[in-house]
Amino acid sequence: MDFFVKEIKMKPIPKGKYYANIPSINSIDSLDLSSPITFFMGENGSGKSTLLEGIAVNLGFNAEGGTVNFNFATKDTHSNLSEYIQIIRGARRPVDGFFLRAESYYNVATYLEDIYKTEIALGYKLDYYGGIPHERSHGQAFLGLILNKFKPNGLYILDEPEAALSPQNQLTFMAKIYELSQSGAQFIIATHSPIITALPNAKIYNFNESIQEINYRDSDSYQITKLTLDDPERMIHNLLKK
Ligand SMILES: Nc1ncnc2c1ncn2[C@@H]1O[C@H](COP(=O)(O)OP(=O)(O)O)[C@@H](O)[C@H]1O
Ligand SMILES: [Mg+2]
């Protein structure tokens, strides 16, 4: 299968840019993204969002999140790491795309609300899950977006999509992105979720001092969750005894 984003290569980052000091990003020469689903995992502050946003902006997505034509910048917080990324693209072009930035959900909801209100005004019958975004919970609106707007052959870049979703809805999310990834869609997702990362057709990168491909069961999220669920009393005991 041909992927929209096959690989990224990094150009030298000038000293003085904060992202020049993020070890994971500094360590990249090239990163293979030729997988229907790629997960970025790793500790808070390890550089996942910075790289995800750099890739999204380089591809033409708005740094604040949304679609490629989505122009509502509220504040200029993006890092411009995109200038130092070279993206090796495949021959196909995505038919659709979305960049979900972790912190800017409210803006995305406002944008979707405008789209849905326009569709209602045009007489469309909207029976998607979740209804008008601001009148629904974050999780319902986000799931509504995925179930109703994401398409086969689309390119989706998502930062911590699990933040809004119950475990049950993480499973619904997984089933949908699995189905879409089997019909030509590509996903690049930063996540801490030990549920979502169970998807079988995914590549998992762990961000640390460098970026290493890991197996599902070797992620910290999986290990810590498993230890806690297997024996919560022992975990709490060990945590508090110091
Ligand atoms: N605008 C910024 N200016 C300076 N440092 C930043 C900025 N944004 C993020 N950082 C730093 O870059 C590092 C990586 O952040 P981030 O990519 O958000 O990590 P992650 O998404 O893996 O939690 C962190 O140490 C963070 O403090
Ligand atoms: Mg992040």
Side-chain angles (χ1 to χ4, degrees):
M1 184 173 145
D2 187 22
F3 298 100
F4 306 123
V5 178
K6 300 209 296 194
E7 187 184 2
I8 58 168
K9 293 180 191 291
M10 298 300 294
K11 303 171 190 169
I13 302 172
K15 287 198 174 58
K17 304 276 187 190
Y18 79 84
Y19 36 82
N21 298 321
I22 301 175
S24 64
I25 289 176
N26 232 329
S27 77
I28 304 173
D29 180 26
S30 68
L31 195 66
D32 181 13
L33 296 174
S34 51
S35 170
I37 303 172
T38 303
F39 290 118
F40 291 173
M41 299 192 84
E43 223 6 285
N44 293 131
S46 60
K48 304 179 299 296
S49 294
T50 304
L51 185 60
L52 205 64
E53 182 184 304
I55 294 170
V57 171
N58 189 296
L59 288 166
F61 289 96
N62 188 301
E64 294 275 323
T67 66
V68 178
N69 306 311
F70 189 3
N71 276 315
F72 67 62
T74 48
K75 56 181 164 78
D76 192 25
T77 53
H78 65 277
S79 67
N80 288 320
L81 174 65
S82 66
E83 292 169 28
Y84 307 102
I85 298 176
Q86 183 196 353
I87 297 189
I88 316 297
R89 299 177 183 228
R92 288 194 307 143
R93 287 282 172 270
V95 301
D96 184 47
F98 204 91
F99 171 37
L100 178 84
R101 197 182 147 158
E103 317 82 57
S104 63
Y105 172 76
Y106 189 84
N107 296 341
V108 172
T110 303
Y111 162 77
L112 286 173
E113 190 170 292
D114 288 348
I115 292 184
Y116 292 152
K117 282 188 170 155
T118 306
E119 290 181 357
I120 289 167
L122 290 170
Y124 291 8
K125 188 174 171 302
L126 300 184
D127 55 0
Y128 50 84
Y129 180 89
I132 299 287
H134 277 155
E135 294 167 5
R136 299 289 156 165
S137 80
H138 182 174
Q140 288 173 311
F142 178 56
L143 205 57
L145 168 71
I146 290 158
L147 296 180
N148 297 286
K149 294 284 176 192
F150 285 15
K151 298 186 176 72
N153 301 309
L155 172 60
Y156 302 101
I157 300 182
L158 311 174
D159 201 350
E160 297 190 24
E162 73 273 17
L165 302 175
S166 68
Q168 179 61 54
N169 280 339
Q170 289 189 42
L171 298 178
T172 306
F173 169 82
M174 285 167 78
K176 183 67 182 180
I177 71 169
Y178 183 77
E179 179 192 313
L180 290 171
S181 70
Q182 297 291 95
S183 5
Q186 183 176 0
F187 294 84
I188 306 172
I189 301 176
T191 181
H192 297 290
S193 172
I195 299 179
I196 291 172
T197 44
L199 277 168
N201 58 340
K203 187 194 283 285
I204 303 177
Y205 284 121
N206 186 54
F207 283 51
N208 202 326
E209 292 303 303
S210 62
I211 299 177
Q212 305 286 348
E213 189 171 354
I214 57 168
N215 293 319
Y216 167 59
R217 287 180 180 77
D218 293 332
S219 77
D220 286 348
S221 294
Y222 177 95
Q223 296 277 339
I224 292 168
T225 305
K226 185 164 189 333
L227 283 172
T228 307
L229 297 183
D230 283 350
D231 194 345
E233 292 78 14
R234 179 155 168 250
M235 178 58 91
I236 295 294
H237 176 78
N238 288 341
L239 205 56
L240 301 183
K241 76 181 175 194
K242 287 171 194 113

